[in-house]
Amino acid sequence: MDILTNVALGFSVALTPTNLLFCFLGSLVGTLVGVLPGLGPVGAVAFLLSLTFKMEPASAIIMLAGIYYGAMYGGSTTSILVNIPGETASVVTCLDGYRMARQGRAGAALGISAFGSFIAGTVGVIGLMFLAPLLGRAALSFGPPEYFALTLAGLTLVAYLSQGSMIKALIMALLGLLCGTVGMDPISGEQRFTYSTLTLSDGFGLVPVAMGLFGIAEVLENLAVLSTQSVDQAKIHGLLPNRQDWRDSAAPIARGSALGFFLGILPGPGPVIASFVAYAMEKRLSRYPEKFGTGVIEGVAGPEAANNAATAGSFIPLLSLGIPTSAIMALFMGALMIHGIQPGPLFIAKYPELFWGFIASMYVGNVMLLVLNLPLIGMWVRLLKTPYVILFPLILLFCLIGVYSLNANVVEIILMLAFGVAGFFLRRVGFEGAPFILAMVLGPIMETSLRQSLLISRGNFMIFVNRPICAVLMVLTAAFLLWPIFTRQRKDDRMT
Amino acid sequence: MRRANITVALVFVSVSIFLLFAAGRFNFGTLRVPQTGFFPKTLGILLLLLSLVLLVQALRQKAVEPGGVKIATEGWIRIASTLATMIGFALVLEWLGFLLSTFVLMVLLLRAIEAPRWSKMFTVALVTALASYGLFAWLLGVALPAGILGF
């Protein structure tokens, strides 16, 4: 009965008029961000983060979460209708979704993607509800060595999963960790790398860095090479999938939900990976794999379900261990910490109304998105036709005001622009921003736990191997680091 | 891509050497009692090592890999003018005030890709400045600078 009381508590928080409004705003902005290709969910959350400082903590995370899962819905709409993925997690949806639209089945594709997302989102939230408290309780016995091993394994896995060179991803992670050391030493309170400036005395601000790397850099990239995409819209007849569509999609949605949820828990860009893996899985399981890519509904249902379930799953490590596993979760952590709330094993016990309110709001948000998306599809597509000439100044203006509104500090605007330029150039030579931002947030946790562990063990590194959980995590870390070397060797052998 | 990789690797090598120097005055402590300098110095050394690996990889790279999309001169001009506009905005914001700076920012940014008609440009810029002021200052209660004109 415990869980029922908790769920009731959650809904009593989520259904207050204020929180309903913020949930609605979040979902709306999220869908918008998902629809528009110029700005990703990370940039949008970074921007809105600055506006949540004055809100109640519950309203703040409810709204930010709405943006995150809203973007997953919005991204699929444009993938299907105009073959432009609004964000990376809906790239695969283009493959069969757009083909379906070309064949005049846009309605069915949109419908199954919305319903599939809704079902998977709900499955994910239920999983989150059961698993997060469980993991949180287990994590109560974690000491500094476990935390160090956990952050190390998380960062390595993110580097391992990043596209392109792993060395480059590791370099980005190291740079992020180094940037995380700017400001006060978390143990002794000494100032590091601040050069007696006030702006840096608290370290690099998360918002200017994230908005630079993900907002400004993205705009600069679009300005560099203007793409003249013509929006060629397919006609929509009837949004409801027919009985055959449902029969074909039921199993992919179920599989996608389960797969997405578990992939979401792992570090890395969960929703993106989940959608790709789900597509591959459906293709392999299908009786007619050769038809994938020509407009089969399973190719839409599976990935769409997976990316939504993954968004729910990715909250688990943050809420129960206090460890963010992706750039966007790092921002959520920032949002909570600004209100003095430390996510981690004690989070659920200490702030039940916050945790359960957040869970309940995700149910509410999923319903809102279903209602919001199906009737408003026409409007979203029209928005997509906004010329970039008008769109990009608006995005930049929002970034500028967003950063300024934090501390009314012009230096932070310059900081954001500097990170934007750096991000733009680094991305062109194959360095991704995600490991950097994640490492920057994890840095202080990692440093504190490492130094505390060494204090406990009197400088003996065996402390990371002698404890069972640590040992497992360390083996995983080593495996992620060494795996690419072995596989490259094999590839080289084959080539010669 | 090869030349770019070598350049980046060299940049990172110098960054890590700079960081190691900058961290020089922090006390490393011992492994038993690690101090302020322990973490930054360790990271700096790791960064140096990885940058050197990257450098060696880039030097040994033989095949001509296809790089990213090449940016034409117009692209660079668009980027430079946009950045200059935003830096200018940051510099004059507190002096000119929010409304005026935003209006000028929008006019300049709207011209960055192609020059639209003046009437259209001014309308969009004016509406954006007023709407964003309303949204941020009134609805969200953000303190925006008033500037010399008092608005």
Side-chain angles (χ1 to χ4, degrees), chain A residues 65-123:
Chain A
I67 296 175
Y68 187 29
Y69 52 74
M72 300 295 143
Y73 276 79
S76 36
T77 307
T78 52
S79 291
I80 291 167
L81 287 181
V82 287
N83 206 17
I84 300 171
E87 36 84 49
T88 354
S90 44
V91 170
V92 249
T93 309
C94 287
L95 297 176
D96 279 285
Y98 183 62
R99 288 279 139 225
M100 280 181 76
R102 296 257 84 173
Q103 294 156 17
R105 309 225 308 129
L110 286 167
I112 210 72
S113 120
F115 284 112
S117 297
F118 173 73
I119 296 167
T122 311
V123 170

Side-chain angles (χ1 to χ4, degrees), chain A residues 223-246:
Chain A
L223 281 177
V225 186
L226 282 181
S227 51
T228 42
Q229 286 164 329
S230 61
V231 175
D232 185 11
Q233 190 194 340
K235 283 234 160 47
I236 310 171
H237 322 272
L239 282 169
L240 293 180
N242 59 33
R243 192 172 288 217
Q244 183 58 41
D245 293 335
W246 275 112

Side-chain angles (χ1 to χ4, degrees), chain A residues 54 167-168 175 185 188 190 192 223-224 226 392 394 396 404-405 410 424 428 431 447 451 454-455 458-459, chain B residues 4-5 8 12 31-32 34 36 39 53 69 71 78-79 82-83 86 90 94 102 109 113 128 141-142 145:
Chain A
K54 294 184 183 128
I167 295 240
K168 288 181 177 176
L175 283 171
D185 176 338
S188 73
E190 257 175 274
R192 286 187 298 202
L223 281 177
L226 282 181
F392 96 91
L394 289 177
L396 291 180
Y404 183 80
S405 66
V410 174
F424 165 70
R428 281 189 63 78
F431 290 84
E447 174 172 13
R451 281 165 67 183
L454 289 175
L455 282 171
R458 296 167 197 276
Chain B
N5 274 336
V8 179
F12 282 137
L31 282 184
R32 270 172 182 250
T36 307
F39 200 55
V53 173
V69 189
I71 300 179
R78 276 194 298 268
I79 290 178
T82 306
L83 278 172
M86 287 193 289
E94 292 186 336
T102 304
L109 286 183
I113 293 183
T128 318
V142 174

Side-chain angles (χ1 to χ4, degrees), chain B residues 63-87:
Chain B
V64 187
E65 279 177 54
V69 189
K70 203 148 166 39
I71 300 179
T73 321
E74 299 90 70
W76 289 115
I77 293 174
R78 276 194 298 268
I79 290 178
S81 59
T82 306
L83 278 172
T85 310
M86 287 193 289
I87 294 171

Side-chain angles (χ1 to χ4, degrees), chain A residues 190-220:
Chain A
E190 257 175 274
Q191 296 275 317
R192 286 187 298 202
F193 302 118
T194 57
Y195 300 100
S196 337
T197 52
L198 201 60
T199 312
L200 291 182
S201 64
D202 239 358
F204 282 117
L206 183 59
V207 176
V209 174
M211 248 150 58
L213 283 180
F214 294 94
I216 305 282
E218 179 104 36
V219 172
L220 293 182

Side-chain angles (χ1 to χ4, degrees), chain A residues 83-367:
Chain A
N83 206 17
I84 300 171
E87 36 84 49
T88 354
S90 44
V91 170
V92 249
T93 309
C94 287
L95 297 176
D96 279 285
Y98 183 62
R99 288 279 139 225
M100 280 181 76
R102 296 257 84 173
Q103 294 156 17
R105 309 225 308 129
L110 286 167
I112 210 72
S113 120
F115 284 112
S117 297
F118 173 73
I119 296 167
T122 311
V123 170
V125 171
I126 294 174
L128 172 63
M129 191 167 90
F130 283 102
L131 209 57
L134 218 62
L135 201 60
R137 237 167 286 149
L140 279 176
S141 60
F142 282 17
E146 278 80 14
Y147 271 96
F148 174 73
L150 208 55
T151 48
L152 189 67
L155 274 182
T156 325
L157 182 56
V158 169
Y160 175 73
L161 291 174
S162 66
Q163 301 134 339
S165 151
M166 183 161 170
I167 295 240
K168 288 181 177 176
L170 286 173
I171 287 181
M172 282 309 263
L174 279 173
L175 283 171
L177 287 173
L178 276 161
C179 279
T181 65
V182 173
M184 237 194 290
D185 176 338
I187 294 181
S188 73
E190 257 175 274
Q191 296 275 317
R192 286 187 298 202
F193 302 118
T194 57
Y195 300 100
S196 337
T197 52
L198 201 60
T199 312
L200 291 182
S201 64
D202 239 358
F204 282 117
L206 183 59
V207 176
V209 174
M211 248 150 58
L213 283 180
F214 294 94
I216 305 282
E218 179 104 36
V219 172
L220 293 182
E221 208 166 88
N222 290 334
L223 281 177
V225 186
L226 282 181
S227 51
T228 42
Q229 286 164 329
S230 61
V231 175
D232 185 11
Q233 190 194 340
K235 283 234 160 47
I236 310 171
H237 322 272
L239 282 169
L240 293 180
N242 59 33
R243 192 172 288 217
Q244 183 58 41
D245 293 335
W246 275 112
R247 213 170 295 142
D248 289 339
S249 311
I253 289 177
R255 283 192 292 260
S257 305
L259 177 86
F261 178 70
F262 287 106
L263 286 178
I265 300 176
L266 298 178
V272 182
I273 294 168
S275 62
F276 278 97
V277 176
Y279 189 82
M281 181 174 75
E282 289 312 322
K283 196 171 170 176
R284 194 159 306 160
L285 290 177
S286 170
R287 271 172 288 120
Y288 36 85
E290 70 285 351
K291 278 198 185 159
F292 272 70
T294 60
V296 286
I297 201 158
E298 293 94 320
V300 177
E304 279 301 309
N307 71 25
N308 270 274
T311 55
S314 58
F315 279 100
I316 290 181
L318 176 69
L319 294 181
S320 51
L321 304 175
I323 305 272
T325 47
S326 64
I328 208 152
M329 286 303 126
L331 293 173
F332 271 100
M333 180 152 156
L336 288 170
M337 305 246 292
I338 279 157
H339 291 283
I341 295 163
Q342 176 76 49
L346 296 174
F347 172 75
I348 300 170
K350 249 166 111 182
Y351 307 98
E353 72 297 334
L354 204 56
F355 176 76
W356 295 103
F358 165 68
I359 299 268
S361 87
M362 284 176 75
Y363 285 112
V364 177
N366 273 306
V367 177

Side-chain angles (χ1 to χ4, degrees), chain B residues 18-102:
Chain B
F18 166 77
L19 284 172
L20 282 172
F21 268 109
R25 55 192 190 82
F26 307 138
N27 182 8
F28 185 88
T30 57
L31 282 184
R32 270 172 182 250
V33 188
Q35 297 286 352
T36 307
F38 168 72
F39 200 55
K41 281 179 184 173
T42 314
L43 293 175
I45 291 167
L46 286 175
L47 183 63
L48 181 61
L49 289 178
L50 278 185
S51 314
L52 288 173
V53 173
L54 190 67
L55 183 64
V56 171
Q57 270 189 353
L59 287 172
R60 284 176 51 189
Q61 203 173 50
K62 280 164 288 178
V64 187
E65 279 177 54
V69 189
K70 203 148 166 39
I71 300 179
T73 321
E74 299 90 70
W76 289 115
I77 293 174
R78 276 194 298 268
I79 290 178
S81 59
T82 306
L83 278 172
T85 310
M86 287 193 289
I87 294 171
F89 175 81
L91 296 179
V92 301
L93 175 64
E94 292 186 336
W95 174 62
L96 273 185
F98 178 78
L99 275 179
L100 207 53
S101 325
T102 304

